[in-house]
Amino acid sequence: MSTPMSMSTSLQTGHVGLNVTDLGRSLAFYTTVLGLDVQAESREGDRRFALLSRDGRLLLTLWEQSAEGFRTDLAGLHHLSFQVGTMEEVREAEAVLRGLSVTFAHDGVVSHGEGAASGGIFFHDPDGIRLEIYAPAGAEDAPAPAGAAPTCGFF
């Protein structure tokens, strides 16, 4: 077994890159639902992409290079989760998503587990990519649809 690289304690996730089938459609979805800003964009030929940020920090990149939507039967991304500060913000996002007729994995806010304070909403983007918006507290009374298994694990 090899020895891990020496890294500072500041290691954290940077941005996430998603392959999409239609850049325009996905760009409209992510800027509307998450309120992200377009930092850079190209719609030239086969080099179609968008870099999305919040407060100047790159969070998400979209790459139009897929012919099919998300597939759960292939190795790779399981779901992408976004944390907000309050359950009120989760419910605001839920209202926006319902207005867009988005497909939800569970009906409304659910907790992350039985008796858990954290929870949120689970839904799919236009390509079927699984997404979550959650708050660390405020879901104590919400159902835990997966019993003992993590709510975000199987849907």
Side-chain angles (χ1 to χ4, degrees):
M1 187 165 174
S2 62
T3 305
M5 291 181 3
S6 174
M7 293 186 199
S8 73
T9 57
S10 66
L11 178 67
Q12 60 183 312
T13 302
H15 70 275
V16 173
L18 300 176
N19 283 338
V20 300
T21 59
D22 182 325
L23 180 63
R25 179 181 69 176
S26 293
L27 190 54
F29 177 84
Y30 283 99
T31 55
T32 299
V33 173
L34 300 177
L36 298 176
D37 300 315
V38 178
Q39 187 174 332
E41 176 183 2
S42 172
R43 295 190 187 213
E44 295 181 23
D46 63 351
R47 299 284 185 185
R48 299 171 60 85
F49 68 90
L51 309 179
L52 304 177
S53 64
R54 162 94 38 100
D55 299 325
R57 181 174 173 241
L58 180 63
L59 296 177
L60 190 63
T61 60
L62 304 175
W63 307 93
E64 184 179 297
Q65 55 189 17
S66 294
E68 297 180 28
F70 182 75
R71 293 197 30 199
T72 59
D73 63 336
L74 298 176
L77 179 73
H78 181 272
H79 75 284
L80 178 57
S81 176
F82 296 94
Q83 180 179 325
V84 295
T86 66
M87 194 53 64
E88 238 177 56
E89 291 173 277
V90 172
R91 294 198 185 281
E92 288 172 11
E94 179 185 12
V96 169
L97 290 162
R98 291 205 186 276
L100 295 172
S101 299
V102 167
T103 302
F104 284 81
H106 306 291
D107 187 30
V109 172
V110 294
S111 70
H112 280 140
E114 197 65 42
S118 64
I121 53 176
F122 298 85
F123 57 98
H124 299 88
D125 85 345
D127 284 307
I129 297 171
R130 297 169 172 181
L131 300 170
E132 169 188 10
I133 297 176
Y134 79 96
E140 297 85 352
D141 298 326
T151 298
C152 63
F154 301 97
F155 53 107

